[in-house]
Amino acid sequence: MRIVCPFCGARDAQEFSYLGDASLQQRPDTPAGAPLDDAAHAAWHDYVYLRENPPGEHTEFWYHASGCRQWLKVTRHMRTHAISNVEAARPSSLRGAA
Amino acid sequence: MVDVSIPPVVSALAGLATAGQRLGFKDGEAGVQIAELTGVAIASIAARKGLADDLSAKVQTLFGLPLPSEPKRVAAGDVSIIWSAPGQWLVVFESGGRQRVSDLTAALRGLASTTDQSDSRAIIEISGPRVRDVLAKGVMVDLHPSVFAPGNTAITLVAHVGAQLTCIDAAPVYQLMVPRSFCLSFWDWLISSAEEYGISIGAKGDPKKG
Ligand SMILES: [Zn+2]
């Protein structure tokens, strides 16, 4: 499998490491010290343990460890592994010189 | 401030091979020339948040070179700038030693974080008619001149070692930067891969210049 890094170009998957579901960016908002009620407990259980396994497109984080050391957001088809989109995970304003 | 003496940059490959040596296949002309670039000082610079354009302008006035926004190397005189990541570059000084890194650190204060990398990487230059055949044994990046021409650089794995590979001449000549701690392992791979074509060891730079 090859991933087309938006910074480096097409690279073998062995240059990257996989983090996981890119749609899970928001941690449940539980105030510090507040007791976990059933709803909060369920939200945390879902955030930490439960993952979708869709038989189609999935967005996920990959880290280009052996290249530009940037986090990427990859859209990959779970059945075919076809990658339809790769973009930088962080906003473009932080990327440096134009 | 305490005045500390600045040690010279030492060769990463000293003792492994000597200039003028011939290795591997002995008949005819060597297919590959390999030389360590010694006495080189290297600085990494990372733009401070939101100041990349100011940094770029400053570097332009210092060296007459732009900060490449894509994987490229630019060079003028004894200075080259190599893209490293978005907002990060390596500045390579072929003379003047570490003092150049100190001077750069002072000049870029407030615009970039600067780190002396002179002891972190070995720089190896490879050329010769069979150089692409050698690199093909360990490089996964397409090196065809139509896509990897002089000025192009890639940070990638070469024989499982993290390396920065740059094309510096159409001859072709390639420059490989590898972590010094992986140097012996990388050297073994390089020599094993090149010996069927015949290797001549050259010398680049002056080890005393540091
Ligand atoms: Zn990359």
Side-chain angles (χ1 to χ4, degrees):
Chain A
M1 192 168 86
R2 304 196 106 199
I3 297 174
V4 181
C5 172
F7 305 108
C8 302
R11 297 298 176 85
D12 194 273
Q14 70 180 270
E15 290 194 1
F16 302 81
S17 61
Y18 177 78
L19 177 73
D21 193 337
S23 66
L24 291 170
Q25 292 178 65
Q26 287 298 312
R27 286 157 62 100
D29 186 16
T30 311
L36 279 186
D37 58 19
D38 282 354
H41 204 271
W44 274 101
H45 180 263
D46 186 53
Y47 176 76
V48 174
Y49 295 110
L50 302 183
R51 293 292 178 269
E52 298 297 328
N53 187 20
E57 286 193 332
H58 186 243
T59 59
E60 50 205 23
F61 287 123
W62 289 77
Y63 180 63
H64 196 183
S66 300
C68 59
R69 292 97 63 212
Q70 304 298 302
W71 283 100
L72 307 176
K73 202 164 132 184
V74 174
T75 306
R76 181 175 60 95
H77 197 287
M78 301 282 261
R79 275 186 176 150
T80 64
H81 298 302
I83 291 171
S84 55
N85 190 52
V86 185
E87 57 192 66
R90 62 174 171 167
S92 58
S93 62
L94 296 176
R95 276 186 222 161
Chain B
M1 281 273 277
V2 180
D3 199 24
V4 289
S5 64
I6 300 176
V9 182
V10 298
S11 163
L13 296 165
L16 283 176
T18 46
Q21 208 178 345
R22 176 77 189 249
L23 301 172
F25 187 65
K26 294 277 192 281
D27 292 347
E29 224 170 279
V32 187
Q33 280 85 46
I34 300 176
E36 182 191 5
L37 195 57
T38 52
V40 173
I42 308 169
S44 64
I45 60 174
R48 293 283 169 82
K49 196 171 177 180
L51 295 178
D53 291 341
D54 298 320
L55 174 65
S56 200
K58 181 72 182 177
V59 167
Q60 183 74 47
T61 59
L62 287 174
F63 306 119
L65 293 169
L67 285 177
S69 59
E70 39 176 20
K72 297 272 187 192
R73 172 190 186 265
V74 291
D78 65 354
V79 179
S80 54
I81 300 175
I82 309 174
W83 181 92
S84 170
Q88 296 175 40
W89 299 266
L90 294 176
V91 184
V92 179
F93 300 104
E94 290 192 22
S95 64
R98 294 179 205 276
Q99 187 58 47
R100 303 285 294 275
V101 176
S102 307
D103 295 345
L104 183 68
T105 305
L108 301 183
R109 190 152 287 142
L111 294 173
S113 301
T114 308
T115 311
D116 188 342
Q117 303 285 357
S118 311
D119 302 306
S120 79
R121 290 158 169 84
I123 307 180
I124 300 167
E125 238 177 62
I126 321 180
S127 57
R130 306 306 296 271
V131 61
R132 281 199 196 100
D133 299 300
V134 174
L135 293 176
K137 298 180 186 183
V139 174
M140 294 178 284
V141 175
D142 187 355
L143 296 183
H144 191 276
S146 64
V147 289
F148 201 78
N152 282 109
T153 190
I155 302 168
T156 183
L157 290 172
V158 180
H160 309 286
V161 175
Q164 179 140 16
L165 176 66
T166 306
C167 182
I168 59 172
D169 193 278
V173 181
Y174 297 95
Q175 201 175 73
L176 274 157
M177 281 183 171
V178 290
R180 283 175 173 240
S181 51
F182 284 87
C183 236
L184 289 179
S185 168
F186 188 81
W187 186 257
D188 278 347
W189 169 80
L190 184 60
I191 298 302
S192 306
S193 301
E195 61 188 358
E196 66 168 303
Y197 310 117
I199 305 161
S200 76
I201 303 292
K204 288 277 287 187
D206 179 355
K208 292 183 294 299
K209 266 192 317 201

